[in-house]
Amino acid sequence: MGNGVYASIVIFTLNLGIFHVQSFRSDGQTADMNAMGTAMFTCIIWAVNVQIALTMSHFTWIQHVMIWGSIGAWYIFLALYGMLPPKLSGNIFHMLIEVLAPAPIFWLTTLLVIAATTLPYLFHISYQRSVNPLDHHIIQEIKHFKIDLEDERMWKREKSKAREKTKIGFTARVDAKIRQLRVKLQRKHSVLSVMSGTSSNDTTSNSQQT
């Protein structure tokens, strides 16, 4: 949550400070709310996907397609939407092709925001990996330095730890649901036991009175 709040503040303040005060094109054109909002959302797309890439422990071609494809899809959508007639595109008409793309400050702002939002997060995960590494971090280093071939006992121990049950994910939610059902069944069983005991006592008392 702290990282998200920090990134949001950085993206908003940097874009507002850069585009609001001065002209962003050589012909002296100043940025309106549409240009500023488009640049700001572009920075959000980049910041989120770059941080997702930093959290990845292993990269596959699917992850590359999803991360970099989503960034490319944003530019493609912005270009195609800006090509629509002004009645449909409104104030975004040719926003990327004619307004933002020719301005170097748009690309420099994007790079600045990416650096400002990802460097603290990169320092955090680097510090965590150095001081308090997770199980998959240890396994990665063992495989990288080929310690699994030199110390097979430690490799088996770490691999078995990585297969232990975690407290998050789908299986944990299923286990929690099963525990809730068991508690409900136990409560129903206790209530039925009390009710059956009460009814048997009433029957005994009635037979004694008879």
Side-chain angles (χ1 to χ4, degrees), residues 53 55-61 63-64 136-137 139-140 143:
T55 59
M56 296 293 180
S57 300
H58 304 279
F59 274 99
T60 62
W61 67 269
Q63 291 167 326
H64 281 292
H136 67 274
H137 294 155
I139 292 176
Q140 281 182 337
K143 295 292 291 184

Side-chain angles (χ1 to χ4, degrees), residues 17-38:
I18 292 173
F19 287 100
H20 181 67
V21 179
Q22 59 185 356
S23 60
F24 71 103
R25 295 184 61 180
S26 59
D27 56 359
Q29 180 181 355
T30 58
D32 57 1
M33 292 300 296
N34 300 304
M36 189 184 304
T38 305

Side-chain angles (χ1 to χ4, degrees), residues 11 33 36 56 60 65 91 94-95 112 118 157 167 169 171 178-179 181 186 204 208:
I11 292 172
M33 292 300 296
M36 189 184 304
M56 296 293 180
T60 62
V65 169
N91 296 327
H94 286 183
M95 175 61 68
L112 179 61
T118 57
R157 183 179 68 248
K167 298 188 181 299
T171 56
I178 292 174
R179 286 196 297 269
L181 292 174
Q186 290 177 356
T204 305
Q208 289 177 355

Side-chain angles (χ1 to χ4, degrees), residues 9 18-19 22 39 42 49 65-66 71 74 102 105 116 125 149 153 170 191 205:
I9 294 174
I18 292 173
F19 287 100
Q22 59 185 356
T42 303
N49 283 279
V65 169
M66 296 302 294
I71 296 175
W74 163 245
I105 195 171
I125 61 177
L149 302 178
R153 183 177 180 182
F170 177 75
V191 170
S205 60

Side-chain angles (χ1 to χ4, degrees), residues 14-15 17-20 22-26 29 31 39 43 99-113:
L14 285 180
N15 280 276
I18 292 173
F19 287 100
H20 181 67
Q22 59 185 356
S23 60
F24 71 103
R25 295 184 61 180
S26 59
Q29 180 181 355
C43 294
V99 180
L100 293 177
I105 195 171
F106 167 69
W107 305 104
L108 293 176
T109 302
T110 304
L111 293 176
L112 179 61
V113 169

